[in-house]
Amino acid sequence: MNKNINKAVFLDRDGVINKDFSYVYQKKNFVFNEGIFDLLRILQENKYLLFVITNQSGIARGLFSEKQYNQITEYYLSILGNLGIRISGVFHCSHHPDFSEKPFSNCNCRKPKPGLFLKVQKEYQINMFESIAIGDSIRDLKAAYLSGINNRILVNPIYKESIYITKKFKTIKECKKYFQKLFL
Ligand SMILES: [Mg+2]
Ligand SMILES: [Zn+2]
């Protein structure tokens, strides 16, 4: 009996969902990437659960509060929700090795550690082999690799080579086109 019955897409936030202007916590700086709505819709229609896993060391650095982080999360989830896109869970690491107290300075949730991926896997009975990770940085895909995700997509205009990457696109729009064709 296989109890890992769901497949999921693990999305990074800054650089994937929205443009990465660094330490985004205000609505005016939360700009969705072109093509992200269609991409999420396509994945959802193909029975993937959607999760956001995001490093938010701006909290440890004192640049914004946990409350402000939660507010921006609610903001973009409500926009996605109005478009019929359901995110099953959003998980963040608020820590940073140089700015957090022990034991959080060496937490398991900051990517490239796979802590949050494994938490989702367990809580939502995810089949990691069938699942997908989409990130704009190698550490997103290293965390995915360490948690057993087989499809690890880098979306970044700058060329990067890594064993953690299985596919790459310059933009979310290109990534969307790929899945559009794949699921035809
Ligand atoms: Mg990112
Ligand atoms: Zn952490």
Side-chain angles (χ1 to χ4, degrees), residues 55-70:
N55 284 356
Q56 292 295 332
S57 73
I59 298 171
R61 293 167 197 266
L63 299 174
F64 51 90
S65 65
E66 197 79 46
K67 188 180 167 191
Q68 286 170 311
Y69 168 76
N70 289 334

Side-chain angles (χ1 to χ4, degrees), residues 12-16 20 111 135-137 139-140:
D12 178 42
R13 195 194 81 178
D14 301 304
V16 172
D20 187 356
K111 293 180 276 187
D136 70 324
S137 114
R139 72 182 171 193
D140 299 323

Side-chain angles (χ1 to χ4, degrees), residues 7 31 42 46-47 69 87-88 93 100 111 143 148 179-180:
K7 53 184 184 176
V31 180
I42 291 164
N46 285 279
K47 307 282 180 270
Y69 168 76
I87 304 291
S88 295
C93 166
S100 296
K111 293 180 276 187
F179 280 109
Q180 244 163 2

